Amino acid sequence: MNDGIFKEEWLTEVQNAQKRAYTPYSNFNVGALLITEDDEYIYGANIENAAHPAAICAERTALVSAYANNKRKFKAIVVITDSPEPASPCGVCRQVMKELCHDDMPVYLTSKSGEVIKRTVDDLLPLGFSGKDME
Ligand code: THU
């Protein structure tokens, strides 16, 4: 990925995040790396639960962790799974990204293949609902 933003070291970091997944029910490990505006790394992984709806996705784990640690401005997020091709964030994560990130923030999707796909928050949730719709 040569867009002048993405850094190769983010791949190693997101793989490290993925190792922290807790997935006794799906065995589908997802890692997320959130990069703050001052280049700090916030790690996320999916954390499952015997009561399945209580599971939380990697992307949201990273975002809520960032907020809880007083980090609110982000440069990008990288998401990795073990799928053959980069997997796509779920609808709930798209809505949460819409709430907490800029519409034009890059979302990099990658997988075992090493392929990196770039989208923005707005690409993933066009015409998404936000607080502006309630004004
Ligand atoms: N998962 C994520 O962590 N992110 C997504 O965007 C899609 C799904 C997790 C949730 C669950 O732990 C597992 O992947 C299977 O759905």
Side-chain angles (χ1 to χ4, degrees):
M1 173 58 58
N2 251 327
D3 63 355
I5 302 172
F6 188 82
K7 292 185 183 155
E8 285 301 311
E9 71 178 55
W10 293 354
L11 288 178
T12 315
E13 297 295 336
V14 77
Q15 284 162 7
N16 288 335
Q18 188 185 22
K19 289 179 191 147
R20 301 173 188 177
Y22 172 71
T23 58
Y25 306 102
S26 73
N27 289 314
F28 185 72
N29 293 351
V30 186
L33 178 73
L34 189 61
I35 299 100
T36 67
E37 66 171 357
D38 45 2
D39 284 317
E40 271 189 63
Y41 295 147
I42 312 279
Y43 300 89
N46 51 335
I47 310 296
E48 298 185 342
N49 194 287
H52 292 194
I56 179 165
C57 293
E59 299 90 322
R60 278 177 287 142
T61 306
L63 283 162
V64 298
S65 174
Y67 263 65
N69 286 284
N70 208 23
K71 308 284 177 191
R72 296 190 171 199
K73 291 192 174 164
F74 312 117
K75 206 175 256 187
I77 190 167
V78 188
V79 184
I80 191 167
T81 72
D82 284 334
S83 303
E85 304 297 329
S88 201
C90 82
V92 176
C93 288
R94 291 172 195 223
Q95 184 67 40
V96 173
M97 287 191 267
K98 171 86 185 169
E99 181 74 31
L100 303 181
C101 309
H102 290 299
D103 275 348
D104 56 359
M105 187 188 85
V107 181
Y108 298 98
L109 307 173
T110 188
S111 73
K112 272 185 164 169
S113 69
E115 183 189 357
V116 180
I117 293 175
K118 180 183 181 183
R119 294 288 183 272
T120 64
V121 170
D122 190 58
D123 291 334
L124 294 175
L125 195 66
L127 284 176
F129 179 73
S130 75
K132 285 189 188 135
D133 293 300
M134 298 169 66
E135 285 169 4

